[in-house]
C-alpha cells in the first residue's frame, strides 16, 4: 500500500517542522509494511513575493488528487496575514469541506505546565472546532474606503447543516471518550447564530443520552481552561472560539510546539489536512530551534485517519517516551537547549 501525501511546507518554521517530520513518517511506514510518497509544493509567501500569488492556478485541483495533506504554516512578516492566509490555507479548509478541526491538548508525562499543580496525564481534552463557516465566513465587505464614513461588515454565518455536523462529530468523540461534552457558546450576546448553535446542541444531545453536556459561555470557558483544565474532555466550539481556545489548550499543556491538529473532511473527493496549531513563528525562523513535535503528532493523526493505527501509535509513542525521558533533547520552548534536528535524531533512535 502506498499513500500519496501532499507536503505543503509553507512559510517560516512550517518548512523546518515538516521537513523534520516526513523522514519519521517514512520510517514508521517502512516498519509497518506500507509506503508514503510525498510531493512537495513550494507554495507560500516566497512565491507570493516573486509571482504575486501564494499558489499557482489549478493548485486546489492538484491537491485534491492526494490522499492527505501535511501543512507547515502560512504567514510572513512582510505580507498582510489576510492576503497569505486567504491565498493558501483557508481556501484549502473550505474548498475541501474540512469541517472538523480536531485539536487535542494533552499534558504529557515529563512536560511542565505553566499552571501550578498539574502533572503529566492531568490534562487531556480535545476541541472540536467548526472549520468552514461561523465567524470565518467570507460574507460582508468594506465600503466608502478612505472616507470618514468608511465601514466594514463582517458577518458570522451559522447554518443548521454546518452546526449539526460538527456538534454530532463532537458527541461521537465524547461517546468514544469519557462521555462528557462542553458546549462553548456566546448565546447571551449573540442571539441569532449562537442561539441556533445551542438549539442544535440540545437537539443532537437527545440522540446521545449517555453523554453529559455542560454549557459554558466562551469567556468563562477561557477562564476555566486555565482554572480547571483537568475537568474537560471534549469541547465543541465555533470557528473563532475554537481557534482561540486551542491556543490556550496548547499553552496549558506545555507549549505551542506540542499542539497538533487535523482538518477533517468527510467528502471522499477531497483529502484531509494535518498541521500544527502554531503558525510560522517568524521570531525563531531559521534558528533551527522550532519544536517539531506538534507536526509529528499531527502526522500521527494523519496516519491514524489513513487507516494505519500501528504506525500512528509508533510515532506517538516515540514522542511520549522522549518527553518522559529527562535526559532526552528538548527545544527551548520546553526549557531545553537542543535543536529541531536533535529531537528528530533522538526520535529516530527510539523508533
Ligand atoms: P505563532 O504560533 O507562529 O507563534 C506564537 C509564539 O509561539 C511565538 O513566540 C513562537 O516562537 C512560538 N512557537 C510557535 N510554534 C513553535 C514551535 N513549533 N516551537 C517553538 N516555539 C513555537 O503565532 P503568531 O506569532 O501569532 O503568528 C505568526 C504568523 O503565523 C502570522 O503570520 C500568523 O498569521 C501565522 N499563523 C499561521 C497559522 C497556520 O498556518 N495554521 C497558525 C497561526 C498563525
Ligand atoms: C490556526 C490559525 C488560523 C486560524 C489563522 C492563521 C487563519 O490561527 O490554524 O489556528 O485562525 O484558523
Ligand atoms: Mn490559531
Amino acid at each position: 500500500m502506498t499513500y500519496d501525501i501532499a507536503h505543503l511546507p509553507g512559510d517560516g518554521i512550517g518548512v523546518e517542522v515538516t521537513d523534520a517530520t516526513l523522514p519519521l513518517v517514512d520510517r514508521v511506514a517502512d516498519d509497518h509494511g506500507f509506503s508514503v510518497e510525498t510531493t512537495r509544493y513550494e507554495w507560500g509567501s516566497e512565491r507570493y513575493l516573486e509571482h504575486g500569488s501564494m499558489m499557482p492556478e489549478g493548485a486546489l485541483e492538484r491537491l485534491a488528487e492526494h490522499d492527505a495533506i501535511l501543512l507547515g504554516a502560512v504567514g510572513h512578516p512582510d505580507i498582510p496575514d489576510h492576503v497569505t492566509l486567504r491565498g493558501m490555507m483557508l481556501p484549502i479548509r473550505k474548498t475541501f469541506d474540512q469541517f472538523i478541526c480536531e485539536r487535542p491538548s494533552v499534558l504529557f508525562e515529563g512536560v511542565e505546565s505553566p499552571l501550578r499543580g498539574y502533572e503529566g496525564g492531568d490534562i487531556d481534552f480535545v476541541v472540536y472546532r467548526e472549520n468552514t463557516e461561523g465567524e470565518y465566513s467570507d460574507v460582508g465587505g468594506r465600503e466608502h474606503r478612505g472616507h470618514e464614513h468608511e465601514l466594514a461588515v463582517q458577518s458570522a454565518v451559522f447554518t443548521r447543516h454546518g452546526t449539526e455536523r460538527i456538534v454530532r462529530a463532537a458527541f461521537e468523540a465524547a461517546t468514544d471518550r469519557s462521555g462528557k461534552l462542553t458546549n462553548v457558546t456566546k448565546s447571551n450576546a449573540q442571539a441569532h447564530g449562537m442561539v441556533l448553535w445551542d438549539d442544535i446542541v440540545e437537539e443532537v444531545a437527545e440522540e446521545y443520552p449517555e453523554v453529559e453536556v455542560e454549557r459554558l459561555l466562551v469567556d468563562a470557558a477561557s477562564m476555566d481552561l486555565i482554572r480547571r483544565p483537568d475537568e474537560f474532555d471534549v469541547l465543541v466550539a465555533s470557528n473563532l472560539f475554537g481557534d482561540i481556545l486551542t491556543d490556550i489548550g496548547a499553552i496549558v499543556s506545555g507549549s505551542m510546539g506540542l499542539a497538533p491538529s487535523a482538518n477533517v473532511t468527510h467528502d471522499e473527493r477531497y483529502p484531509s489536512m494535518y498541521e500544527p496549531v502554531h503558525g510560522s513563528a517568524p521570531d525563531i525562523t531559521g534558528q533551527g530551534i522550532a519544536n517539531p513535535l506538534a507536526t509529528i503528532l499531527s502526522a500521527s493523526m494523519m496516519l491514524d485517519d489513513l487507516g494505519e493505527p500501528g504506525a500512528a501509535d509508533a510515532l506517538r509513542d516515540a514522542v511520549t517516551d522522549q518527553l518522559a525521558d529527562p535526559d532526552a533533547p528538548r527545544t527551548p520552548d520546553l526549557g531545553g537547549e537542543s535543536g529541531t534536528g536533535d529531537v528528530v535524531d533522538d526520535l529516530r533512535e527510539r523508533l
Side-chain angles (χ1 to χ4, degrees):
M1 181 77 190
T2 301
Y3 299 99
D4 174 14
I5 309 297
H7 174 198
L8 294 182
D11 301 329
I13 65 163
V15 181
E16 301 167 32
V17 293
T18 53
D19 281 344
T21 297
L22 283 166
L24 298 175
V25 171
D26 265 341
R27 169 63 198 274
V28 292
D30 258 4
D31 291 349
H32 288 81
F34 64 95
S35 61
V36 169
E37 199 174 289
T38 55
T39 310
R40 193 175 205 268
Y41 294 103
E42 307 287 348
W43 300 340
S45 294
E46 296 301 335
R47 186 183 193 283
Y48 181 89
L49 292 170
E50 206 171 312
H51 301 286
S53 66
M54 297 290 288
M55 304 194 289
E57 244 174 81
L60 292 169
E61 288 79 359
R62 282 161 75 183
L63 287 179
E65 299 297 317
H66 294 275
D67 297 322
I69 303 168
L70 186 72
L71 170 75
V74 177
H76 190 288
D78 299 340
I79 314 172
D81 281 334
H82 69 273
V83 173
T84 52
L85 273 314
R86 284 162 52 106
M88 182 155 158
M89 193 262 281
L90 295 172
I92 301 174
R93 290 184 185 165
K94 202 151 169 169
T95 306
F96 296 163
D97 205 27
Q98 295 166 344
F99 70 98
I100 302 171
C101 184
E102 184 185 344
R103 296 187 158 184
S105 285
V106 175
L107 179 59
F108 286 93
E109 211 72 57
V111 174
E112 200 180 337
S113 171
L115 303 180
R116 186 167 14 93
Y118 287 91
E119 286 176 6
D122 287 349
I123 301 174
D124 183 353
F125 61 81
V126 57
V127 174
Y128 273 66
R129 168 189 181 188
E130 201 293 318
N131 215 27
T132 56
E133 55 175 46
E135 307 87 344
Y136 282 39
S137 303
D138 205 9
V139 173
R142 201 158 147 188
E143 282 280 26
H144 308 305
R145 281 182 189 251
H147 291 279
E148 244 174 58
H149 55 293
E150 181 165 3
L151 92 152
V153 174
Q154 183 89 51
S155 297
V157 173
F158 291 87
T159 65
R160 173 167 282 280
H161 170 73
T163 306
E164 206 172 296
R165 62 185 182 170
I166 187 66
V167 166
R168 187 162 277 114
F171 270 99
E172 287 292 329
T175 305
D176 291 344
R177 292 173 54 111
S178 80
K180 191 171 167 218
L181 178 77
T182 304
N183 169 27
V184 179
T185 183
K186 190 65 194 174
S187 47
N188 55 349
Q190 302 199 303
H192 310 306
M194 293 312 307
V195 172
L196 172 67
W197 175 279
D198 285 355
D199 286 349
I200 290 172
V201 171
E202 277 182 29
E203 284 171 32
V204 176
E206 287 182 17
E207 297 168 35
Y208 297 87
E210 71 289 359
V211 174
E212 179 198 336
V213 183
E214 162 188 51
R215 186 165 85 181
L216 280 184
L217 299 165
V218 65
D219 40 359
S222 308
M223 177 190 66
D224 276 347
L225 281 176
I226 292 167
R227 183 171 64 131
R228 53 171 186 96
D230 52 312
E231 292 178 24
F232 290 93
D233 185 28
V234 180
L235 297 92
V236 63
S238 66
N239 211 333
L240 180 63
F241 296 169
D243 174 46
I244 297 166
L245 294 179
T246 51
D247 265 36
I248 299 178
I251 204 64
V252 298
S253 50
S255 172
M256 284 306 291
L258 286 178
S261 122
N263 303 278
V264 178
T265 183
H266 284 177
D267 188 327
E268 298 203 335
R269 291 171 298 172
Y270 302 126
S272 295
M273 177 165 70
Y274 301 82
E275 56 171 326
V277 170
H278 66 72
S280 56
D283 55 335
I284 58 164
T285 296
Q287 298 179 26
I289 55 165
N291 189 341
L293 296 180
T295 311
I296 293 166
L297 292 168
S298 305
S300 168
M301 294 173 85
M302 174 177 82
L303 292 171
D304 220 351
D305 289 352
L306 286 171
E308 298 292 345
D313 287 351
L315 210 46
R316 195 187 149 83
D317 290 349
V319 171
T320 307
D321 270 7
Q322 183 185 66
L323 290 170
D325 179 351
D327 299 323
R330 279 163 195 265
T331 44
D333 57 301
L334 292 176
E337 290 178 353
S338 304
T340 312
D342 304 320
V343 169
V344 171
D345 290 345
D346 177 81
L347 285 173
R348 193 177 291 115
E349 277 173 35
R350 287 172 201 274
L351 286 169

